[in-house]
Amino acid sequence: MGLKPEEYVDTQRFKVPSRPITDIFTSKDTAIDRSKCCRTVPMRVLVLGVGRTGTVSMRDALKRLGYEDTYHMMSASVENPPDCIMWQRAFEAKYDGIGRFGREEWDSLLGHCQAVCDWPAICFAKELIEAYPEAKVILTTRNVDTWHASVMKTGYWRAKDPELRIASYFDWGAGLYYPMLTKFFETFFKDDFPNKGKEVFAEHYKEVRSLVPKNNLLEFNVAEGWGPLCDFLGEPMPLNEPFPHANNADSFVKRCRTRNRAQMCNAAFRYAVIGVLLYLAYLILGYILMF
């Protein structure tokens, strides 16, 4: 008797590819296979506001408050690219009905974190709330018009970035990240962010509000600073320390372009090494045939 689609997981397709030893220009990337991990710390906070509502600032703030790692898109895009494989599994389970992705899988992917924020995690707001009912929920907020304009210049630009698409054919990290990023915009934003982004924004916030009891939900604008956040979490407020402010549009684009160049250098170096090795093999073979 065969497996039902929702029970099926193509283990070969979701196997983590080995990281090339020639990837010296992105040497800080790790290659952890999260599917083999488990939960090591409790999940305490779900920050379910969409990306570009101060999620990087929230990540920095939670770190300052002592939370052991907060999962963010950067966790997959520039820190541990193999995470993108598990996110692809989660997308397929939710949107395509293929395989399953429940508490066990979330613990594997997010088990080293006490908090989560940004996309792609916010695509799975309902699933994360059900998996971690004990966690406090924060909705980071922002004016929808300025938010949409910001995403057009950052996240959506990145999903359409021709340099990233080209790098994805040749570089290990980009090859893992780009398909996941495009899948996110195709599913969560209905493959039409420019025209449907604001509609999805409203739907998402309405859904989260309907899923979380009011006493366990904080709607928070990062401009409000430490006070409301620390009151909600029951944490002491940092003294004489401004609330973090990070990841404006210009720094986002600059960081992405720097990443593109590094990944293209990885590919160029790898093919240069292969070329040198082939040339040496040719010389050695020629020398052997002379005798």
Side-chain angles (χ1 to χ4, degrees), residues 64-137:
R64 170 62 184 82
L65 293 175
Y67 289 77
E68 190 169 330
D69 210 343
T70 296
Y71 201 97
H72 186 278
M73 173 69 97
M74 290 190 293
S75 302
S77 64
V78 299
E79 295 172 11
N80 192 62
D83 285 3
C84 296
I85 294 176
M86 288 203 72
W87 286 114
Q88 288 282 51
R89 285 180 54 191
F91 279 124
E92 289 198 356
K94 177 166 184 170
Y95 293 101
D96 304 325
I98 300 173
R100 57 181 176 269
F101 209 93
R103 173 66 187 256
E104 181 180 352
E105 288 75 22
W106 290 121
D107 280 348
S108 293
L109 176 58
L110 306 174
H112 59 297
C113 299
Q114 290 191 306
V116 62
C117 69
D118 204 63
W119 38 55
I122 55 102
C123 302
F124 306 95
K126 182 175 184 294
E127 291 79 3
L128 289 170
I129 290 167
E130 290 176 350
Y132 304 109
E134 68 282 4
K136 290 181 175 291
V137 179

Side-chain angles (χ1 to χ4, degrees), residues 186-225:
E186 288 171 359
T187 53
F188 187 70
F189 287 115
K190 305 176 183 180
D191 203 19
D192 187 8
F193 178 80
N195 296 305
K196 296 181 180 178
K198 294 180 184 180
E199 168 192 321
V200 172
F201 180 101
E203 291 173 352
H204 174 76
Y205 280 75
K206 181 179 179 181
E207 178 187 34
V208 174
R209 291 180 185 117
S210 72
L211 293 171
V212 183
K214 288 187 177 181
N215 64 348
N216 200 45
L217 176 66
L218 172 68
E219 296 198 31
F220 177 65
N221 187 311
V222 293
E224 297 176 78

Side-chain angles (χ1 to χ4, degrees), residues 233-247:
L233 296 177
E235 301 287 354
M237 190 166 66
L239 299 176
N240 302 317
E241 186 174 336
F243 195 87
H245 177 70
N247 202 31

Side-chain angles (χ1 to χ4, degrees), residues 41-81:
V41 291
M43 179 63 77
R44 298 173 61 192
V45 182
L46 305 175
V47 183
L48 298 178
V50 295
R52 306 305 302 171
T53 58
T55 52
V56 175
S57 299
M58 281 296 299
R59 190 188 198 196
D60 292 347
L62 289 171
K63 181 178 180 180
R64 170 62 184 82
L65 293 175
Y67 289 77
E68 190 169 330
D69 210 343
T70 296
Y71 201 97
H72 186 278
M73 173 69 97
M74 290 190 293
S75 302
S77 64
V78 299
E79 295 172 11
N80 192 62

Side-chain angles (χ1 to χ4, degrees), residues 6-8 24 50 84 95 108 110 132 134 142 156 159 165 168 174 181 202 204 229 236 270 273 276:
E6 65 272 14
E7 298 174 331
Y8 178 74
I24 61 173
V50 295
C84 296
Y95 293 101
S108 293
L110 306 174
Y132 304 109
E134 68 282 4
R142 184 177 180 179
Y156 185 71
R165 177 169 52 83
S168 72
L181 179 63
H204 174 76
L229 178 64
R270 181 166 67 254
V273 169
V276 169

